[in-house]
Amino acid sequence: MSRRVSCEDLVTERSYQKQEAISLHAKGVQKKESRWTREVGLGFKTPREAVEGNYIDKKCPFTGNVSIRGRILTGIVTSTKMKRTIIIRRDYLHYVTKYKRYEKRHKKIAAHLSPAFVGVAVGDTVTVGECRPLSKTVRFNVLKHSKKVSKGSKQFQKF
Amino acid sequence: MGISRDSRHKRSHTGAKRAHYRKKRKFELGRQPANTKIGAKRIHEVRVRGGNRKFRALRLETGNFTWASQSTTRKTRIVVVSYNASNNELVRTNTLVKGSVIQIDATPFRQWYENHYALPLGKKKRQGKDANEESEESKKRSNHLMRKVEARRDDAKIDQHLEEQFNSGRLYAIITSRPGQSGRCDGYILEGKELDFYLRKIRSKK
């Protein structure tokens, strides 16, 4: 289960968590809990949790300071044990010309998972977009999430 | 120096050890940290990539601080470093870095406030001199000025925590510039929720 960031985390952090883009003290502003969100573009809808939530994540594509540009990939979630990041696995077939047959190959990608996405579990399908390096191995950010379709369901699941 | 910022010495994402096949390059260089302290201004200029300059502040004593809710900025003396989220060592050694919470001299802001709103701020400590001193109320102001001041009166209320700080003559502020890069120590005065947060942190340290 993905780790849910709650209000208590805002207190246990050592520095005050806030959105860089919002000035907290400007005079004449007093909409309670003003929050800045952005559209990532390319047709991706920003989740409701991003707009209504309380979390602070500077690496979130919807409420933080990262832009999505470059590649957009999809994959299956294999691990959600890290704090705010997941590992995605992309399977593909590689053609060997000599034998005129395919072989299975896979690549794993580390992607940043914004707290806007709740309930991301192993086996779910996820769409990630390329962004600037966020850490040693993370260059992607989760943009869309669809739950794993359980066996017996009539839905056709393309991967 | 020997400090480099490359990733060729690190293991790859898969855990493989990367072969060492080339020497360190100049574009990967790193420099010694500034560790800016409080004291008489001492800034060294560094020539950096592209011929540009960086101003490495080694000692600073003043900075430009903003009082956001009142929209004023004043140059003030830096007194002491109170809290640093990353490293307590930096607090003990009074090192100025971006994001550290410091105490600054409150007098320029108090003077601005008393001029702008014609209200006293911070309790008057000297009892005997009151008769000689020109108190704020008795200072001569033109009618035009008084009308402007009256119009501003509604905005004159400030937070209780801030008032206490004015009484002691020192305000809590946070540094938002990078002294080792720009050579300046600028920031804003803490207010509201942020101030509560850091006050709690400072108190729990003591």
Side-chain angles (χ1 to χ4, degrees), chain A residues 1 15-16 27 47 52 75 86 104 107 129 143 147 153:
Chain A
M1 278 299 285
S15 64
Y16 186 72
K27 236 199 278 198
E52 298 171 1
I86 56 173
K104 280 189 185 173
K107 282 276 192 331
L143 297 175
K147 287 219 130 284
S153 145

Side-chain angles (χ1 to χ4, degrees), chain A residues 2-114:
Chain A
S2 72
R3 182 168 164 276
R4 174 115 202 200
V5 176
S6 58
C7 274
E8 291 122 40
D9 285 343
L10 299 176
V11 172
T12 57
E13 295 288 344
R14 296 206 56 190
S15 64
Y16 186 72
Q17 302 294 308
K18 61 173 190 154
Q19 283 192 304
E20 196 73 25
I22 304 263
S23 164
L24 295 173
H25 316 304
K27 236 199 278 198
V29 170
Q30 262 328 313
K31 182 179 144 217
K32 252 326 173 123
E33 318 292 342
S34 48
R35 189 171 177 78
W36 180 86
T37 49
R38 77 154 77 182
E39 312 269 337
V40 296
L42 303 158
F44 289 103
K45 292 194 70 221
T46 93
R48 222 183 41 159
E49 174 69 20
V51 179
E52 298 171 1
N54 245 338
Y55 66 87
I56 302 289
D57 184 8
K58 65 180 180 185
K59 298 178 183 176
C60 168
F62 310 108
T63 62
N65 188 20
V66 292
S67 67
I68 303 296
R69 73 285 180 285
R71 308 245 173 204
I72 311 286
L73 309 171
T74 58
I76 301 187
V77 178
T78 50
S79 156
T80 58
K81 299 197 194 118
M82 287 189 281
K83 190 190 217 179
R84 287 183 177 174
T85 86
I86 56 173
I87 304 279
I88 293 167
R89 182 189 168 111
R90 307 182 66 233
D91 291 294
Y92 57 98
L93 294 170
H94 178 244
Y95 186 66
V96 184
T97 22
K98 179 176 179 186
Y99 296 103
K100 301 194 193 115
R101 285 177 176 83
Y102 291 91
E103 57 180 7
K104 280 189 185 173
R105 288 190 180 185
H106 78 272
K107 282 276 192 331
K108 296 220 273 191
I109 303 177
H112 184 266
L113 180 69
S114 162

Side-chain angles (χ1 to χ4, degrees), chain B residues 36 40-46 54-60 179 181-184:
Chain B
T36 314
K41 180 162 75 174
R42 188 186 286 191
I43 301 178
H44 285 182
E45 199 179 296
V46 181
K54 281 191 184 174
F55 300 96
R56 194 124 300 160
L58 302 172
R59 294 191 198 162
L60 288 175
Q181 307 281 314
S182 61
R184 291 163 199 249

